[in-house]
């Protein structure tokens, strides 16, 4: 939000998929390691639900990135810098939700 984008948070991968099924989003930011559903699985399922969705995967475990699904557009180390996020999200368009 500090970059001017609208954000929506989800408490789980399942909740994120539910939100993706209800509204349009420009990008999905997810952590690699989450309880219940990994970021890899969320990326795969989100891509099948919303073809072409940009997925940014955040991780502190760079060594764990083998087998990263094609659905992942970009991987950022945690914690990402504001410049990394600005680059990942692209230019702000007040008519779009990030």
């Amino acid at each position: 939000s500090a970059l001017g984008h609208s954000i929506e948070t989800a408490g789980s991968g399942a909740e994120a998929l539910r939100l993706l099924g209800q509204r349009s989003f420009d990008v999905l930011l997810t952590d690699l390691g989450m309880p219940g559903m990994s970021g890899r699985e969320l990326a795969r399922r989100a891509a099948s639900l919303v073809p072409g969705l940009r997925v940014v995967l955040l991780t502190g475990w760079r060594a764990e990135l083998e087998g990263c699904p094609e659905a992942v557009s970009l991987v950022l180390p945690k914690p990402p810098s504001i410049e990394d996020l600005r680059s990942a999200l692209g230019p702000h368009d007040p008519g779009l939700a990030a």
Side-chain angles (χ1 to χ4, degrees), residues 45-71:
R45 293 176 64 178
S48 67
L49 185 64
V50 184
L53 178 67
R54 289 186 302 143
V55 177
V56 177
L57 186 67
L58 303 172
T59 183
W61 305 321
R62 297 292 278 181
E64 297 291 324
L65 291 177
E66 284 190 32
C68 199
E70 291 180 16

Side-chain angles (χ1 to χ4, degrees), residues 30-98:
T30 184
D31 197 351
L32 174 63
M34 301 184 300
M37 181 185 306
S38 73
R40 284 185 181 98
E41 179 64 18
L42 176 56
R44 277 191 284 271
R45 293 176 64 178
S48 67
L49 185 64
V50 184
L53 178 67
R54 289 186 302 143
V55 177
V56 177
L57 186 67
L58 303 172
T59 183
W61 305 321
R62 297 292 278 181
E64 297 291 324
L65 291 177
E66 284 190 32
C68 199
E70 291 180 16
V72 173
S73 307
L74 179 67
V75 176
L76 292 179
K78 288 189 339 187
S81 71
I82 195 77
E83 289 307 316
D84 287 342
L85 289 172
R86 184 185 322 274
S87 178
L89 294 174
H92 169 59
D93 180 343
L96 301 175

